[in-house]
Amino acid sequence: MNELRYPIEGVIYHDEAQARRYQDSGAWARTSVGDALRATARRQPEAPAFITDEGSLSFRELDEQTDRLAAALLDAGLAPADRAIFQMGTTLETVLALVACYKAGIVPVCSLPQHRELEIGQLVRQSGARGYFVQADFHKFDLVAFAEKMAAGSDTLAHLVVARGSAGSHLAMRALIDAMPLDQARARLADVAPGARDVLSFQLSGGTTGVPKIIPRFHAEYLGHALACARLYELGPDERFIWALPLLHNAAQLYVLMPVLAMGVSAVLMSRVEVRRMLELIEQHRVTRAVSIGPIAPQLMAYPDLDKHDLSSLRLFTTMSRADRLEETLGVPCSNLFGITEGLLLGAPPSAPAHVRHHTQGKSGCADDEIRLLDPESETPVPEGAMGELCFRGPSTLPGFFDAPEANAKAYTSDGFYRTGDMMTAHVVDGAVHYTFEGRLRDNVNRGGEKIGCEEVEGLVTAHPAVVEARLVAMPDPVYGEKGCIYIIPKPGCAAPQVRELADFLVAQGLAKYKCPERVEVIDAFPVTKVGKLDKPALKKMIADKLAREAQEAGQGAQRGAA
């Protein structure tokens, strides 16, 4: 089923000739995600698909339950091409809800349980979401009550689906599944199943402003992208992943969810990151693949009892950076990675030379990807060996952000290469070009894989009654890679708010807690460049140097205390 059945206004689609070319080359699949799962379930019905401490799902169970839920959602009033907000953790219920939406043509919007009024309000308005999936038992926060509040203030939200708890007057996810006969469900879906070129999900750009840009990803494209990455990583049919981070993220979808559904590999899911339990599960389930997007790798390197765990089943552990240190710690092959939701994945398999795995982010697994390193101020390629802005086009490059003509006008070169804002250098190894990440041009904080737009936070901080101006920069952190440091110019006669007070103020305005600055620095005036522009690199250097001095002084103090 190669057609586009449910076009969405505001989505930019690949043109017909381009789509045919990508399917002919094998860069795109010729099927939908739902049909890919159905084929896997026929091939290996009783093999485990997803495993958790609470229970497991075989491929047959996953296929049957998602058929039933998909049909029930349609009967409840949702329709193909409708969008749905997700505030759910990493559980079997989230897998069922996601896959059911894929089968029904409902488009999940990448949202997190930690998001609050600001983020969810923006996403609902931008996406025009009609559905809302929540997990009733996610920590102590009442997501059901929060969703009710958001729905009451929305012109579009009409269907609230509740998992893992009391649904009240809303749709209970388990009840929807149980009440739908399988034969009836399959007959219902046969008439409405999405095509391979339909939108699969709405992902989010890690941009620099307070308003996230929406990235449509498509069934054929996403499957093809994930399978190309799996081939690059030399993924075999007996592989088993472990995953503890949000399932809505691009990384979870491409590295884990799509390979499970389409290839029949399996995944162990954890509802939260807990290093000791992760190592126990690797041992218990003979996990072969692990991925660190965020704080997992630093926590592993700090864990004191590694030698008590058998990690011999691991064939590869991929991480965002410092794969050399992780490999030294774990004693298993490790490699760096790079991924961007706009459509490029770089990586290196366990068979790659150590230099490639440890000192580059690898290469693309798709032969149709075109990659250039350009001067950030022009479209001129940088000289060989020089650092340049990573730009790319290819089968998984987004054709355009959703309903965002101004952003699209700035995002591409004149010949259609997407400009990432990430600086790389290129290295030829064994005849193939590999890329090393050198830094970012864009103004954001990458806190353990979660991108925090500095503009968004700055705008809210300057609303504080004691603040004249504020600028957020990334400061180095041993666990998360980066955290946010806010430089504040206070109003005359006022004291700048401290970290806790500022966080309370920002959360009250609807900002997610993880976006709140974790250090406050008071400054009389911001440094400027020679042409009078704000010099954020100088602010970053100031806080990095200050942290280094503090660490050195703390070390000296510890030595004096020991003496």
Side-chain angles (χ1 to χ4, degrees):
M1 190 183 292
N2 295 329
E3 73 268 29
L4 167 61
R5 298 193 67 187
Y6 302 108
I8 297 173
E9 185 177 356
V11 171
I12 298 174
Y13 293 87
H14 297 80
D15 66 57
E16 193 70 34
Q18 196 176 52
R20 282 200 303 271
R21 187 167 68 252
Y22 290 148
Q23 287 189 315
D24 289 344
S25 73
W28 282 12
R30 292 183 177 274
T31 186
S32 68
V33 169
D35 282 343
L37 170 59
R38 291 181 181 106
T40 302
R42 287 193 297 270
R43 189 172 67 249
Q44 49 185 67
E46 302 310 319
F50 292 96
I51 302 164
T52 74
D53 282 339
E54 297 178 333
S56 302
L57 283 171
S58 69
F59 282 98
R60 177 186 55 78
E61 292 168 327
L62 177 62
D63 188 40
E64 290 177 356
Q65 291 191 41
T66 52
D67 275 350
R68 293 164 70 184
L69 180 56
L73 292 171
L74 295 173
D75 281 356
L78 285 164
D82 279 348
R83 277 76 75 191
I85 299 294
F86 267 69
Q87 288 198 278
M88 299 180 72
T90 304
T91 67
L92 292 177
E93 288 80 5
T94 306
V95 172
L96 291 172
L98 278 171
V99 178
C101 285
Y102 297 155
K103 287 181 170 182
I106 299 163
V107 179
V109 179
C110 180
S111 35
L112 300 176
Q114 295 86 354
H115 282 160
R116 295 297 177 258
E117 290 91 345
L118 192 68
E119 295 89 2
I120 295 299
Q122 287 173 345
L123 290 175
V124 170
R125 287 190 296 273
Q126 283 179 261
S127 69
R130 294 189 68 239
Y132 200 151
F133 290 77
V134 295
Q135 179 179 321
D137 65 346
F138 187 84
H139 301 328
K140 296 179 181 179
F141 187 74
D142 190 343
L143 278 172
V144 178
F146 175 73
E148 290 173 341
K149 174 184 172 184
M150 298 307 298
S154 167
D155 294 331
T156 60
L157 287 174
H159 304 280
L160 176 56
V161 183
V162 181
R164 298 173 64 93
S166 173
S169 61
H170 307 296
L171 300 170
M173 196 176 97
R174 175 47 57 184
L176 289 174
I177 296 171
D178 292 343
M180 174 59 66
L182 182 59
D183 289 346
Q184 181 180 326
R186 289 181 166 166
R188 178 83 163 88
L189 295 177
D191 296 330
V192 299
R197 293 180 57 195
D198 277 307
V199 175
L200 174 76
S201 66
F202 273 3
Q203 290 287 336
L204 304 182
S205 173
T208 62
T209 66
V211 180
K213 296 187 290 294
I214 289 174
I215 300 169
R217 302 300 297 258
F218 308 89
H219 284 258
E221 169 262 317
Y222 222 37
L223 278 173
H225 198 194
L227 293 174
C229 182
R231 288 191 295 271
L232 172 67
Y233 280 120
E234 301 168 349
L235 208 65
D238 62 339
E239 304 282 0
R240 181 161 288 174
F241 283 91
I242 192 163
W243 189 262
L245 298 170
L247 285 170
L248 272 292
H249 273 183
N250 186 59
Q253 303 272 296
L254 288 172
Y255 291 132
V256 181
L257 190 60
M258 294 299 131
V260 170
L261 301 181
M263 296 178 63
V265 300
S266 63
V268 178
L269 302 180
M270 297 179 66
S271 61
R272 62 188 179 92
V273 176
E274 203 281 296
V275 167
R276 180 187 61 80
R277 186 61 187 145
M278 175 179 285
L279 295 171
E280 290 172 351
L281 290 170
I282 290 172
E283 218 174 332
Q284 177 183 345
H285 296 292
R286 306 303 293 163
V287 168
T288 64
R289 303 277 174 151
V291 185
S292 171
I293 308 290
I296 294 174
Q299 290 181 26
L300 279 169
M301 288 188 283
Y303 182 70
D305 296 321
L306 272 176
D307 58 347
K308 297 179 180 178
H309 300 276
D310 176 11
L311 304 182
S312 60
S313 62
L314 279 175
R315 298 170 188 168
L316 185 68
F317 203 123
T318 49
T319 180
M320 293 176 72
S321 62
R322 299 313 308 269
D324 51 347
R325 283 190 56 203
L326 186 62
E327 183 167 319
E328 183 181 344
T329 302
L330 298 180
V332 300
C334 298
S335 66
N336 293 328
L337 61 83
F338 173 86
I340 186 168
T341 313
E342 286 82 352
L344 180 68
L345 297 177
L346 304 176
S351 65
H355 174 77
V356 168
R357 289 188 287 106
H358 297 165
H359 300 292
T360 80
Q361 267 58 44
K363 64 179 182 178
S364 168
C366 177
D368 291 334
D369 276 336
E370 300 175 74
I371 301 175
R372 293 177 183 171
L373 300 184
L374 302 182
D375 176 86
E377 303 300 324
S378 71
E379 296 186 8
T380 304
V382 298
E384 185 176 339
M387 183 167 58
E389 182 185 4
L390 177 71
C391 302
F392 62 87
R393 69 181 179 189
S396 292
T397 306
L398 82 158
F401 296 107
F402 173 67
D403 197 22
E406 290 184 11
N408 290 330
K410 301 174 183 176
Y412 301 87
T413 64
S414 58
D415 51 356
F417 279 73
Y418 180 75
R419 306 202 73 134
T420 66
D422 293 308
M423 300 298 287
M424 296 265 190
T425 51
H427 311 273
V428 178
V429 181
D430 295 334
V433 182
H434 299 75
Y435 297 88
T436 299
F437 178 75
E438 305 289 356
R440 291 191 309 277
L441 289 172
R442 290 178 176 169
D443 191 14
N444 59 29
V445 176
N446 187 351
R447 187 186 188 277
E450 296 289 353
K451 303 292 179 59
I452 302 170
C454 292
E455 241 179 74
E456 173 186 23
V457 178
E458 291 164 356
L460 293 173
V461 172
T462 54
H464 191 284
V467 175
V468 172
E469 273 193 281
R471 293 293 180 265
L472 185 72
V473 296
M475 61 180 178
D477 182 81
V479 174
Y480 288 90
E482 293 178 352
K483 287 183 176 179
C485 172
I486 193 82
Y487 279 89
I488 288 176
I489 299 176
K491 287 183 178 177
C494 294
Q498 296 303 301
V499 171
R500 176 65 63 83
E501 176 195 347
L502 183 60
D504 290 344
F505 174 79
L506 296 174
V507 169
Q509 294 184 77
L511 189 71
K513 189 174 181 181
Y514 75 86
K515 295 184 180 181
C516 295
E518 292 170 80
R519 181 160 177 144
V520 173
E521 291 288 322
V522 176
I523 197 169
D524 294 327
F526 297 122
V528 295
T529 65
K530 292 180 181 179
V531 294
K533 293 185 178 181
L534 172 69
D535 192 349
K536 274 208 168 177
L539 289 175
K540 290 182 182 180
K541 186 175 187 304
M542 286 165 56
I543 187 58
D545 290 347
K546 188 170 186 177
L547 290 171
R549 287 196 303 273
E550 290 173 356
Q552 184 179 22
E553 290 166 3
Q556 291 170 348
Q559 289 176 356
R560 287 194 296 271

